[in-house]
């Protein structure tokens, strides 16, 4: 009952409250982004959702619109493409706030495996081994508080599978509060490093 009803109600309640409370701060962030670099403040990307169905994920744009369409780690100098305050937005996961809307409409959950990129076939295949593609992707999850960008794909998928087995209200609470701790300390954040373990064709944009 928790997985299919209570968890969804919690997602709607918390994301709705978050949207209301953070509406003004998010509007200010959008203005800052627009002033820093002309172009849309919101970045959209196709991701893999529950049962491997695609959905559109939303983030605050943290890099210039002129950034080459390649993974961050392949850029000769990633820092020069970052908009003002872009690194700060990414380090503290502020760029993820628009996903509150993705949660509210039901494409994501607050807690769950982070949604893979549409062409991240190796991660999707690894998650298939653990049934991790059959749960709703989350804003944060068990893998996020156990390594984040430092995790190799096999280890990340294994942790996602562990989440599937342990999924419960108390375990979700553990992930939620663990995320707050990790974000504050920006544990496991390594700019551009996640993609180093992937084939370059696996990621289609440096905003991932």
């Amino acid at each position: 009952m928790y997985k299919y009803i209570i968890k969804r109600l919690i997602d709607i309640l918390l994301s709705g409250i978050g949207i209301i409370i953070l509406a003004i701060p998010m509007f200010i962030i959008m203005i800052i982004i627009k002033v820093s670099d002309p172009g849309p403040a919101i970045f959209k990307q196709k991701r893999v959702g529950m049962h491997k169905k695609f959905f559109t994920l939303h983030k605050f744009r943290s890099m210039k619109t002129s950034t080459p369409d390649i993974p961050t780690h392949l850029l000769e100098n990633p820092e020069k493409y970052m908009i003002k305050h872009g690194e700060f937005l990414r380090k503290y996961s502020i760029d993820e706030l628009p996903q509150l809307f993705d949660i509210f409409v039901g494409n994501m959950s607050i807690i769950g495996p982070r949604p893979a990129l549409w062409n991240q076939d190796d991660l999707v295949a690894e998650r298939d081994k653990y049934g991790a593609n059959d749960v709703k992707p989350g804003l944060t999850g068990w893998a996020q508080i156990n390594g984040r960008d430092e995790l190799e794909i096999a280890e990340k998928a294994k942790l996602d599978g562990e989440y599937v087995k342990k999924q419960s209200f108390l375990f979700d609470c553990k992930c939620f509060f663990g995320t707050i701790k990790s974000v504050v300390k920006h544990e496991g954040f390594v700019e551009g490093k996640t993609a180093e373990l992937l084939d370059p064709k696996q990621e289609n944009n440096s905003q991932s």
Side-chain angles (χ1 to χ4, degrees), residues 49-109:
M50 187 175 181
H51 303 313
K52 294 187 280 190
K53 293 182 179 179
F54 295 131
F55 74 98
T56 301
L57 177 141
H58 300 80
K59 303 177 75 170
F60 283 128
R61 185 166 59 85
S62 58
M63 303 189 82
K64 298 177 181 179
T65 55
S66 59
T67 304
D69 193 21
I70 59 176
T72 305
H73 78 282
L74 293 180
L75 295 172
E76 185 175 339
N77 184 9
E79 291 75 19
K80 78 175 184 179
Y81 294 104
M82 200 76 66
I83 65 171
K84 189 176 182 180
H85 309 305
E87 184 176 353
F88 178 83
L89 293 177
R90 291 162 74 102
K91 181 178 291 185
Y92 291 98
S93 298
I94 296 173
D95 62 323
E96 311 282 2
L97 289 179
Q99 286 161 54
L100 288 172
F101 293 94
D102 296 326
I103 294 170
F104 190 78
V105 300
N107 289 327
M108 292 177 61
S109 180

Side-chain angles (χ1 to χ4, degrees), residues 43 76 96 100 126 162 183 195:
F43 172 74
E76 185 175 339
E96 311 282 2
L100 288 172
E126 281 294 315
E162 190 175 333
V183 169

Side-chain angles (χ1 to χ4, degrees), residues 8-27:
R8 177 58 186 148
L9 292 176
I10 292 175
D11 284 341
I12 294 173
L13 178 63
L14 293 186
S15 62
I17 291 174
I19 290 169
I20 293 172
I21 293 176
L22 297 171
I24 293 178
M26 286 196 287
F27 181 70

Side-chain angles (χ1 to χ4, degrees), residues 1-194:
M1 183 174 179
Y2 170 73
K3 297 179 183 180
Y4 305 105
I5 300 177
I6 297 177
K7 183 169 182 174
R8 177 58 186 148
L9 292 176
I10 292 175
D11 284 341
I12 294 173
L13 178 63
L14 293 186
S15 62
I17 291 174
I19 290 169
I20 293 172
I21 293 176
L22 297 171
I24 293 178
M26 286 196 287
F27 181 70
I28 293 174
I29 292 171
M30 290 177 69
I31 293 175
I32 292 174
I33 293 172
K34 295 285 286 185
V35 171
S36 299
D37 186 67
I42 300 295
F43 172 74
K44 300 178 182 179
Q45 189 175 56
K46 186 164 73 171
R47 296 281 182 126
V48 181
M50 187 175 181
H51 303 313
K52 294 187 280 190
K53 293 182 179 179
F54 295 131
F55 74 98
T56 301
L57 177 141
H58 300 80
K59 303 177 75 170
F60 283 128
R61 185 166 59 85
S62 58
M63 303 189 82
K64 298 177 181 179
T65 55
S66 59
T67 304
D69 193 21
I70 59 176
T72 305
H73 78 282
L74 293 180
L75 295 172
E76 185 175 339
N77 184 9
E79 291 75 19
K80 78 175 184 179
Y81 294 104
M82 200 76 66
I83 65 171
K84 189 176 182 180
H85 309 305
E87 184 176 353
F88 178 83
L89 293 177
R90 291 162 74 102
K91 181 178 291 185
Y92 291 98
S93 298
I94 296 173
D95 62 323
E96 311 282 2
L97 289 179
Q99 286 161 54
L100 288 172
F101 293 94
D102 296 326
I103 294 170
F104 190 78
V105 300
N107 289 327
M108 292 177 61
S109 180
I110 293 174
I111 307 296
R114 281 298 294 166
L117 289 161
W118 67 274
N119 57 355
Q120 214 168 348
D121 298 330
D122 46 2
L123 177 57
V124 173
E126 281 294 315
R127 283 177 169 172
D128 266 338
K129 299 177 181 178
Y130 305 101
N133 291 313
D134 296 321
V135 297
K136 194 171 291 186
L139 179 65
T140 186
W142 186 232
Q144 287 296 102
I145 64 174
N146 282 283
R148 197 175 175 181
D149 295 343
E150 297 174 341
L151 293 173
E152 294 189 12
I153 287 174
E155 181 61 22
K156 181 182 292 184
K158 185 177 180 181
L159 286 168
D160 289 334
E162 190 175 333
Y163 170 76
V164 174
K165 290 182 179 179
K166 296 182 177 180
Q167 187 177 184
S168 66
F169 175 71
L170 291 179
F171 196 66
D172 278 359
C173 286
K174 183 175 183 178
C175 293
F176 181 83
F177 291 109
T179 297
I180 295 176
K181 175 177 174 289
S182 295
V183 169
V184 170
K185 295 184 176 181
H186 50 266
E187 296 174 341
F189 175 82
V190 186
E191 184 61 72
K193 293 297 183 180
T194 304

